[in-house]
Amino acid sequence: MVVTQIDKKIEQYSLLKHPFYQQWSAGTLTKESLVGYVKEYYHLVKAVPSMVEHIYNANPTEEIKRNLEDEKSHIALWEQFALGMGISAKELNDYTPSEQTVNAVNRMVKLMEKPVEGAAAMYAYEAEIPAISHSKLEGLKAFYGINDTKTIEYFNEHEIADVYHREVWKSMMENYSEKQQEVALASAIECLKAQNNVLDAVCEKYMPEMSC
């Protein structure tokens, strides 16, 4: 089954292995680099609803609609996180992401234009998020003194929501033909690379001394 192959690629390209997230988990990020990440990653957060909407338009099921509504609500949760990190709404919205981040997000959005590629890409995007969110929460609480409910709600939500989100995408791939599975795997790999590129962009902009 293609999901098994994608899961192996998720492990290979795991964001938890990325130097930026490893430093987050170790508590060695500077406040400046963490704030920079919050502003840079917002570009991806805002794009996720449009990614899901592409798939929903081609396959308008209630399950995908639920995912779409969740993703729309998550933008406000990220904005709450930013505010708790001392970033004003104006600063967040006026921020210009790096070209590398823009290109990576555009690649992800492009993958969603066809349902086969889109389901695989969204699975690759969301499958690891519960574990990533848990790791981020532990780091925020243990090392950065960030534990108020409103600020960390984005991560609490993603520990739960993406468990059923990924099942929606998984179910879409259950009956793929051999050719569709090949296409799906390639799409998932491209999505995983793009996600890593977003973190690469954060490193390059805010931690140039760190090799990513």
Side-chain angles (χ1 to χ4, degrees):
M1 187 176 177
V2 70
V3 172
T4 302
Q5 295 176 294
I6 294 174
D7 285 342
K8 290 179 181 178
K9 293 299 180 181
I10 291 171
E11 173 62 25
Q12 179 182 343
Y13 292 99
S14 174
L15 293 179
L16 290 172
K17 296 177 181 178
H18 194 282
F20 185 83
Y21 279 172
Q22 288 189 330
Q23 288 211 23
W24 184 320
S25 296
T28 53
L29 291 177
T30 64
K31 178 68 180 295
E32 180 186 7
S33 60
L34 190 55
V35 167
Y37 161 84
V38 176
K39 294 189 289 186
E40 193 78 21
Y41 198 80
Y42 184 52
H43 186 66
L44 175 54
V45 172
K46 289 188 296 182
V48 174
S50 66
M51 290 159 57
V52 177
E53 191 166 21
H54 277 304
I55 305 172
Y56 176 72
N57 288 339
N59 191 12
T61 68
E62 285 301 313
E63 291 79 11
I64 299 176
K65 183 178 181 181
R66 179 187 180 187
N67 283 15
L68 176 57
E69 294 305 315
D70 282 350
E71 299 300 353
K72 290 177 180 178
S73 71
H74 292 166
I75 295 174
L77 297 184
W78 189 265
E79 291 167 348
Q80 284 181 187
F81 174 49
L83 190 61
M85 293 295 296
I87 305 166
S88 70
K90 185 179 188 307
E91 182 181 0
L92 186 65
N93 284 285
D94 287 351
Y95 178 81
T96 301
S98 70
E99 184 178 350
Q100 187 175 3
T101 292
V102 172
N103 288 340
V105 172
N106 285 347
R107 281 158 50 203
M108 292 175 70
V109 172
K110 184 73 174 176
L111 293 171
M112 311 303 165
E113 292 181 356
K114 296 180 180 179
V116 171
E117 289 91 330
M122 282 305 303
Y123 179 83
Y125 172 62
E126 297 196 285
E128 195 180 28
I129 286 181
I132 292 171
S133 295
H134 181 76
S135 176
K136 287 178 177 178
L137 277 169
E138 288 189 329
L140 288 171
K141 293 175 182 178
F143 303 115
Y144 305 102
I146 300 166
N147 56 21
D148 67 281
T149 303
K150 194 168 184 179
T151 299
I152 63 175
E153 187 176 355
Y154 178 91
F155 303 105
N156 282 324
E157 169 69 12
H158 279 74
E159 274 196 287
I160 301 168
D162 283 25
V163 172
Y164 65 79
H165 284 188
R166 68 192 180 195
E167 290 303 313
V168 172
W169 313 123
K170 181 179 179 179
S171 67
M172 288 180 66
M173 293 186 282
E174 286 179 351
N175 297 312
Y176 278 3
S177 67
E178 184 175 342
K179 180 61 178 177
Q180 286 175 321
Q181 290 186 50
E182 292 175 5
V183 171
L185 181 59
S187 178
I189 293 170
E190 177 65 14
C191 183
L192 291 166
K193 289 180 178 179
Q195 291 176 68
N196 275 276
N197 288 161
V198 174
L199 294 184
D200 292 343
V202 176
C203 289
E204 184 176 321
K205 193 167 186 177
Y206 294 99
M207 306 176 72
E209 75 285 354
M210 186 170 77
S211 176
C212 289

